[in-house]
Amino acid sequence: MAYMTNDEFIYFIKITDDSNEKYYMKSTIDEQNHTILIHLTNFKSSWVGVLDQEHVRILAKKFPSESNDSFYPHTQRAFSKGNNTNVDGKTYVFTCKKLDKNRLEFIWKEKIEALSSLKIIGSIELQERPNDEVLSKIMDYTINEMEILRSANEQKRTEIQRIDGQLHKALETVKRTVDIKEQIENDLYRKVS
């Protein structure tokens, strides 16, 4: 699910890491500043981190197969689709590794089918945050999305009703035209006969 404002894209995805633990991630991708704000929770604990341009440069050097220019869009695709979707022929896998009581390393990898292996795309250290803080941001996002969808749905219903009304009027016009045509034909046949 994605929500877009001017230069910002917000994605909310469910992730199952490689040890089958479920996480929910809200990533806010700021196109203008090239940052990705990550809110991650497994409902027992929550973490937050920011992936900025400097971090992207460091990761691109750490994983030389990715240039700085391709790394950010690649990471963006992974964060916007989750690990259950095949994106541009790419499948992503995520790992969450607890570093200590307050920190978690979030790692994203690309699945390379031809080699039956995983290629690490990047990682970021996330700091633990109060659960209610992260869950409230996720809930706010979800409620906002629901309101947007509800409003769009209502607009579509109104549009469907308007088009339905126009169709009904057009069908009435066609019926009247057919009736007039039949009346004119009947009149002509009577005159000719």
Side-chain angles (χ1 to χ4, degrees):
M1 187 180 287
Y3 173 69
M4 183 181 84
T5 60
N6 297 333
D7 293 321
E8 197 172 81
F9 297 86
I10 300 173
Y11 297 95
F12 182 56
I13 57 174
K14 181 172 86 171
I15 295 169
T16 304
D17 77 357
D18 58 0
S19 64
N20 282 331
E21 185 164 358
K22 289 182 182 167
Y23 292 87
Y24 298 86
M25 182 172 79
K26 176 183 172 256
S27 56
T28 305
I29 300 172
D30 183 341
E31 287 285 316
Q32 187 174 4
N33 298 315
H34 294 288
T35 60
I36 301 174
L37 173 62
I38 300 165
H39 291 90
L40 184 73
T41 186
N42 61 4
F43 291 112
K44 294 174 254 170
S45 300
S46 296
W47 302 268
V48 174
V50 176
L51 190 64
D52 59 16
Q53 279 186 310
E54 184 56 32
H55 194 104
V56 167
R57 276 193 279 280
I58 291 167
L59 286 172
K61 286 179 187 170
K62 188 175 178 182
F63 305 106
S65 62
E66 294 291 326
S67 72
N68 190 26
D69 292 336
S70 69
F71 180 84
Y72 184 78
H74 200 142
T75 297
Q76 200 175 10
R77 279 195 307 275
F79 283 16
S80 66
K81 301 299 181 184
N83 57 351
N84 295 326
T85 306
N86 191 315
V87 188
D88 302 332
K90 297 176 181 177
T91 303
Y92 297 96
V93 176
F94 301 92
T95 304
C96 297
K97 183 168 65 174
K98 292 186 178 159
L99 300 174
D100 62 31
K101 183 182 174 199
N102 298 325
R103 297 179 308 136
L104 175 117
E105 183 178 26
F106 182 71
I107 304 163
W108 54 102
K109 307 167 190 173
E110 179 187 349
K111 195 172 191 176
I112 310 295
E113 296 293 334
L115 302 174
S116 297
S117 67
L118 298 171
K119 174 178 92 172
I120 294 177
I121 302 299
S123 67
I124 184 171
E125 188 178 300
L126 305 175
Q127 295 296 318
E128 188 168 15
R129 298 294 302 155
N131 228 6
D132 60 340
E133 174 188 316
V134 172
L135 291 175
S136 107
K137 288 194 184 300
I138 289 173
M139 290 305 293
D140 288 347
Y141 166 75
T142 305
I143 289 167
N144 188 43
E145 276 294 296
M146 284 175 50
E147 288 172 0
I148 289 168
L149 292 172
R150 190 174 293 126
S151 174
N153 194 28
E154 194 54 44
Q155 288 174 353
K156 298 231 184 286
R157 282 184 183 171
T158 302
E159 182 68 12
I160 288 169
Q161 287 174 345
R162 185 186 65 75
I163 291 170
D164 224 15
Q166 287 177 339
L167 177 62
H168 185 68
K169 285 179 184 176
L171 288 173
E172 284 178 358
T173 302
V174 167
K175 185 180 180 317
R176 278 196 313 268
T177 305
V178 168
D179 289 346
I180 291 170
K181 176 190 158 275
E182 288 175 353
Q183 181 68 38
I184 291 171
E185 286 175 350
N186 288 338
D187 289 346
L188 281 172
Y189 286 130
R190 267 183 277 172
K191 288 181 183 180
V192 172
S193 308

